Amino acid sequence: MSKVLDVMGPRIQLVTDLTENKDYSLMKAEVPAGVIVPVHSHEDRETFVVLSGELEAFTEDSWKTVRAGETVDIPGHVKHAWRNSSSETVTLLVVSTVNMGEFFNEIGRPADTVPPGPPSPEALQHFVEVAIAYGYWLGTPEDNASIGIKLG
């Protein structure tokens, strides 16, 4: 397995070797307590299996709680967001495209080098630039506020 990457809060470890496997990307993820993934969408399908803990997932138009043993499948181009409102780190398996794995490799920073707290303005700018280059849609502060996420 590859090193653990911080991807703006969640920590991702690629299980599949993307240099050899071009069919899918399998990842192990940890979402620390309090971490929010703002509303976004992309053409890549993602399937999340919660291994431990519970998260709140927003898909299309509502939030739902997802607990250990449950799965959330998000087709491409569906707006979605995540938040860990609990006091525990949540562990997930994530299955997506090789493209998504490559995106995480490009935006991720080795987790052991990332200081606690929110990402720096430079890290946020890099994330936005790479996401746009990949064709991903990122919700505005207003889009996020409309679903109960306050940014900044």
Side-chain angles (χ1 to χ4, degrees):
M1 285 197 285
S2 65
K3 62 186 173 279
V4 177
L5 300 172
D6 179 279
V7 292
M8 311 305 287
R11 294 176 178 229
I12 303 288
Q13 184 176 32
L14 281 111
V15 176
T16 49
D17 181 349
L18 300 181
T19 60
E20 295 179 14
N21 173 39
K22 296 298 182 186
D23 296 322
Y24 63 92
S25 179
L26 177 63
M27 299 162 268
K28 180 180 177 188
E30 292 184 345
V31 183
V35 166
I36 295 170
V37 176
V39 68
H40 63 284
S41 72
H42 38 71
E43 69 179 61
D44 309 279
R45 176 181 216 116
E46 291 178 297
T47 302
F48 299 87
V49 180
V50 179
L51 299 176
S52 69
E54 69 179 41
L55 280 175
E56 294 173 279
F58 178 87
T59 57
E60 303 222 14
D61 61 359
S62 65
W63 287 97
K64 76 174 195 172
T65 300
V66 186
R67 294 177 177 82
E70 296 179 341
T71 300
V72 175
D73 185 54
I74 302 173
H77 303 288
V78 171
K79 292 178 183 177
H80 58 287
W82 295 93
R83 60 184 174 202
N84 181 354
S85 301
S86 78
S87 59
E88 299 178 17
T89 295
V90 176
T91 304
L92 311 159
L93 280 181
V94 182
V95 181
S96 190
T97 63
V98 169
N99 189 60
M100 182 63 70
E102 289 171 345
F103 172 73
F104 287 145
N105 268 333
E106 193 165 340
I107 64 158
R109 300 167 293 159
D112 59 358
T113 68
V114 177
S120 69
E122 295 81 18
L124 283 171
Q125 183 63 35
H126 175 69
F127 169 79
V128 169
E129 289 171 359
V130 174
I132 290 169
Y134 273 72
Y136 296 169
W137 174 83
L138 304 175
T140 65
E142 295 78 17
D143 294 323
N144 281 281
S146 74
I147 65 165
I149 294 176
K150 182 179 182 215
L151 299 177

